[in-house]
Amino acid sequence: MLKKLVFFSLAVVLILALTITASASTFNPFCGGRVVWSYINSDATDDLKDNPVTLNHGGIKLLLRESLSDEATGTWANIGAKIDGWPNEIYASANGSNDGDNTLGVHSIYDFGWNNIGGSKINIWYSSWESETTNIGQGRIYNVYPTQFNEDNVFDRDANHCITIDYKGDNAVLSAIFEPNKTESIDENRIFLAATYKFDGGDVHAGYYKGDTSYGTFTPTGGDSEDKVTGNYKSTEYNVGTAFKMGSITTKLDYLKLDMDKRQDLAYNSVTEANEATGKWIDCPYDGGDVTQLNISFDDLKFDVTLINDAEYHFQNDGGKGYQVRYSGFCDGKLSLVYKAMVADKDIDATGTRGNLESGDFSTAYIGYKYGIFETRIGAGSHGKDEGKDNYVFASVYANFW
């Protein structure tokens, strides 16, 4: 009852904020994204051999918004459209047959909220499309491959159709996100929490998520190929970490833990009607795992090392190890030498799929150079093992529009 009362009160506050007459109206467009062009020379499959150009991890986000705001009260609202597309194909066919992966999606967007409530440092708002205020931690590298330049946070959970409350103090930053609509697969609301405390030379931070996580497709115990189930499962995930600088050495440490549970199967064997009444629950075949990532940077030497211990988070059967070594002391920091690798403890994780660079073991060495607006890389690598083994060389160009 108390939980319902709290969220009802939040809803009332947001409605009041939205209905206050705003005094300023502006057209507030935004266009961001990234260009990632890569040439990969590999004979692993006909796809890569005949179509070496990939646009993986590039994309565009265009926001066309009309904004209302009232400085005296701190209330604001946006209405508009989001147009975006994020190609993630392994290759880009020369004859254009993969154009379907590059199409743009168009969605209406609504945001409204109340900043600095009552003169405080507390903000509250609703977004129909995106809130990322709980994303924290260093950039993850255990699943970032050589042709991907951008790194997501170790704790990275995006929310939509959500209410966000945050507090931005001089030292403490707190954020809570709640999605009022329940998920179909687990019949629960998603909750996101994050806290950061800043001190001289660094911070400590923590994140928490409760909701659902996608696992993929599997065959249930006792089933056959016709019984494959795809969907999301109940999950909790949390992150604790720190970043601090002592003299010329900067250290970043993050620990991420994921627990997986069950899902409610409302479309088993594609027969939704037969299961809506029973609400059959299926255990996730993956229990979850954890990963620890430590980065030590010798700032004056322009040299840093990242060490990774994976306990069934990235390699989901038996885990593994990884590391990255980077030196960027050439050409005033514009030129970098990088070597990175992830090695699974068991062949089932290490083998991978030929032609899919984002599977199995991987190791790569490359030279990176920043030239004007571009970041460029040229290097060689391998991924997979045995029948999944694939050696390749690549050249890549990146332009950041964020």
Side-chain angles (χ1 to χ4, degrees):
M1 182 65 182
L2 179 60
K3 179 181 177 181
K4 291 183 178 180
L5 181 60
V6 169
F7 290 114
F8 177 75
S9 300
L10 292 176
V12 170
V13 169
L14 286 172
I15 291 171
L16 288 174
L18 183 65
T19 54
I20 293 174
T21 302
S23 58
S25 175
T26 58
F27 181 54
N28 183 27
F30 168 82
C31 186
R34 49 185 177 258
V35 173
V36 182
W37 183 94
S38 302
Y39 183 92
I40 301 172
N41 187 329
S42 170
D43 290 332
T45 66
D46 289 339
D47 291 341
L48 284 172
K49 182 171 63 176
D50 297 333
N51 303 283
V53 174
T54 171
L55 303 175
N56 254 10
H57 307 293
I60 180 176
K61 180 183 291 184
L62 174 63
L63 305 180
L64 303 176
R65 296 176 294 192
E66 181 72 12
S67 299
L68 297 172
S69 63
D70 183 75
E71 187 174 344
T73 61
T75 55
W76 58 271
N78 295 318
I79 188 172
K82 175 172 70 79
I83 306 169
D84 62 355
W86 304 94
N88 199 35
E89 77 273 27
I90 296 172
Y91 67 98
S93 175
N95 63 14
S97 62
N98 265 15
D99 286 347
D101 292 328
N102 301 318
T103 56
L104 295 175
V106 181
H107 307 277
S108 59
I109 58 174
Y110 306 89
D111 307 271
F112 54 88
W114 187 2
N115 290 338
N116 306 120
I117 298 174
S120 69
K121 297 180 180 180
I122 298 175
N123 308 312
I124 179 172
W125 75 93
Y126 173 85
S127 176
S128 70
W129 62 284
E130 184 177 67
S131 181
E132 299 179 322
T133 60
T134 57
N135 292 350
I136 56 173
Q138 62 186 291
R140 64 171 69 178
I141 69 166
Y142 42 85
N143 62 347
V144 178
Y145 293 81
T147 58
Q148 179 182 349
F149 288 78
N150 58 296
E151 296 174 356
D152 294 322
N153 299 100
V154 169
F155 186 75
D156 188 347
R157 293 277 184 171
D158 299 342
N160 57 62
H161 296 285
C162 57
I163 298 172
T164 301
I165 304 175
D166 65 23
Y167 170 85
K168 297 182 179 180
D170 295 333
N171 297 102
V173 177
L174 309 174
S175 184
I177 305 174
F178 175 74
E179 292 185 358
N181 295 333
K182 290 185 176 182
T183 64
E184 183 181 52
S185 58
I186 66 172
D187 194 31
E188 289 186 3
N189 303 106
R190 296 187 182 103
I191 298 173
F192 313 69
L193 303 171
T196 300
Y197 181 78
K198 302 175 184 178
F199 55 84
D200 290 342
D203 70 67
V204 291
H205 52 265
Y208 175 80
Y209 167 78
K210 182 177 184 294
D212 59 340
T213 298
S214 175
Y215 176 69
T217 302
F218 74 102
T219 302
T221 302
D224 54 35
S225 59
E226 300 299 320
D227 297 326
K228 289 185 179 294
V229 177
T230 302
N232 293 353
Y233 294 80
K234 282 186 178 181
S235 63
T236 57
E237 185 173 66
Y238 65 85
N239 165 257
V240 290
T242 183
F244 58 90
K245 183 178 177 66
M246 297 183 63
S248 62
I249 299 177
T250 300
T251 302
K252 299 177 181 179
L253 176 64
D254 281 282
Y255 173 78
L256 185 69
K257 171 69 173 176
L258 172 67
D259 289 315
M260 301 287 285
D261 196 0
K262 300 179 179 181
R263 63 162 291 192
Q264 189 174 22
D265 184 20
L266 299 178
Y268 190 71
N269 287 341
S270 302
V271 186
T272 304
E273 298 79 5
N275 293 278
E276 285 181 342
T278 61
K280 181 176 180 180
W281 287 87
I282 298 177
D283 286 323
C284 185
Y286 169 58
D287 293 329
D290 60 80
V291 63
T292 304
Q293 180 172 309
L294 171 66
N295 174 266
I296 301 175
S297 175
F298 302 89
D299 300 332
D300 291 348
L301 299 177
K302 308 295 183 183
F303 174 76
D304 72 279
V305 177
T306 302
L307 303 176
I308 301 165
N309 181 67
D310 172 45
E312 301 179 12
Y313 186 91
H314 176 65
F315 295 122
Q316 294 184 349
N317 291 283
D318 202 51
K321 301 289 189 296
Y323 63 94
Q324 174 180 278
V325 179
R326 175 171 53 193
Y327 178 70
S328 54
F330 298 114
C331 303
D332 296 325
K334 294 180 180 179
L335 190 148
S336 300
L337 301 178
V338 181
Y339 180 81
K340 66 169 67 177
M342 285 293 294
V343 181
D345 289 339
K346 285 189 176 180
D347 287 349
I348 190 172
D349 290 314
T351 300
T353 303
R354 281 177 62 83
N356 184 350
L357 306 186
E358 301 189 357
S359 65
D361 284 357
F362 74 85
S363 62
T364 184
Y366 63 84
I367 298 173
Y369 187 74
K370 295 181 180 180
Y371 182 78
I373 66 170
F374 299 121
E375 290 187 48
T376 61
R377 291 176 182 176
I378 183 169
S382 67
H383 86 94
K385 187 177 180 179
D386 300 329
E387 67 270 18
K389 183 75 172 179
D390 179 15
N391 298 313
Y392 58 89
V393 296
F394 71 94
S396 192
V397 179
Y398 171 70
N400 186 5
F401 288 84
W402 294 116

